[in-house]
Amino acid sequence: MRAYRLLTEEDTSAFCHKVSAALDGGWELFGNPAYAYDPKTGKMRCAQAVIKDVPGDYAPHLNLGEL
């Protein structure tokens, strides 16, 4: 199965750490990062999609962050 996650965070080093941890866990970048203004919080947010091939079949109850 190919798992997909969209990592998001405010534009701080926390976002870079979140992506780095995913890469260290075997996830691969998928596409370009996105950057947008969140008018509700007044801050910029970042997003990066990641994918990972894992054994087994997809099921809605999977905790993708634990793969």
Side-chain angles (χ1 to χ4, degrees):
M1 156 182 119
R2 179 166 283 186
Y4 171 91
R5 292 172 61 198
L6 182 64
L7 306 175
T8 63
E9 184 69 50
E10 288 183 8
D11 183 22
T12 66
S13 63
F15 176 73
C16 296
H17 286 286
K18 187 182 279 191
V19 174
S20 294
L23 294 173
D24 191 51
W27 293 85
E28 297 178 30
L29 299 177
F30 183 76
N32 294 322
Y35 190 66
Y37 179 72
D38 181 352
K40 193 171 191 178
T41 64
K43 298 182 180 182
M44 296 300 290
R45 293 194 61 85
C46 301
Q48 175 64 59
V50 292
I51 57 173
K52 183 178 185 180
D53 289 323
V54 294
D57 296 323
Y58 171 75
H61 68 276
L62 288 174
N63 184 339
L64 299 174
E66 294 180 0
L67 295 179

